[in-house]
Amino acid sequence: LHRGVMATPVVVAAGGSVGDGRGEGSTAAAVAKLSHCCCGSLAVLTVHGCHGVDDDALMSLAEACPQLQQLRVFPDSWREVGDVSDAALSALLRRAPRLRSLSLGSRARLLAADLGLAAVLPAPRMRSLSLFAPLDDGACTLLASWRCLRHLWLGPHKLMQSGVAAESSISDEGLLLLAENCSLLLDLTVASL
């Protein structure tokens, strides 16, 4: 655990530095506990090797850290990926209005257009988004309205990520939607089968 020397607190943790005490990486519970020690002023949180992040952990972060500008929670490819829902993602975006960069993994399908998520998401302001989760063209449809995006990663971090790669199915039509609507996009990575 490290607090940066910036005016705004920064926390960076690597697998084994927070978590279960056995050096097996960071758990969702550790992320939730970590969020409460930051007194609401935390701007950047990066946790590598974090596994099992779920709605409760994300909601704890959203409530405790409303000043977040960057949140990166990376699971290792061999560890359990958590289950984050669209509802928790939407709540995070509403409760952390300064968030401009988000990297998050989930086994659950995220940004499904048929869930009506577009109606509950706040105005898109995200500059960098990495979703290591099962995604399809519904996600592309929704993200096409996020015109501020400059960096976008869609799909699992590694195609072998258990349970995620097989369910990612972004087609050429989905990519075309992003290309036509996200004119500021500089970097696009799509990991889909």
Side-chain angles (χ1 to χ4, degrees), residues 47-173:
V47 185
H48 292 279
C50 187
H51 58 280
V53 172
D54 57 12
D55 285 359
D56 291 339
L58 206 57
M59 296 303 292
S60 292
L61 280 170
E63 290 171 15
C65 305
Q67 303 301 318
L68 273 179
Q69 296 173 24
Q70 178 177 309
L71 173 60
R72 298 184 305 172
V73 184
F74 297 106
D76 292 324
S77 61
W78 64 90
R79 294 192 186 157
E80 177 184 344
V81 177
D83 288 306
V84 174
S85 70
D86 279 339
L89 179 58
S90 179
L92 172 69
L93 295 175
R94 280 193 316 276
R95 293 180 180 168
R98 295 181 177 181
L99 192 63
R100 299 295 183 267
S101 179
L102 175 64
S103 297
L104 184 67
S106 179
R107 284 185 304 218
R109 183 168 303 280
L110 290 177
L111 302 181
D114 58 352
L115 295 178
L117 187 62
V120 295
L121 278 178
R125 61 196 173 277
M126 198 68 55
R127 304 295 186 267
S128 178
L129 179 65
S130 298
L131 292 176
F132 310 122
L135 300 165
D136 58 22
D137 287 347
C140 295
T141 300
L142 184 73
L143 293 173
S145 68
W146 293 25
R147 299 181 191 274
C148 295
L149 281 172
R150 290 181 175 87
H151 307 279
L152 182 60
W153 179 300
L154 300 176
H157 186 257
K158 294 186 177 195
L159 284 176
M160 297 307 292
Q161 189 173 332
S162 177
V164 175
E167 297 181 24
S168 290
S169 56
I170 296 171
S171 71
D172 291 348
E173 289 79 20

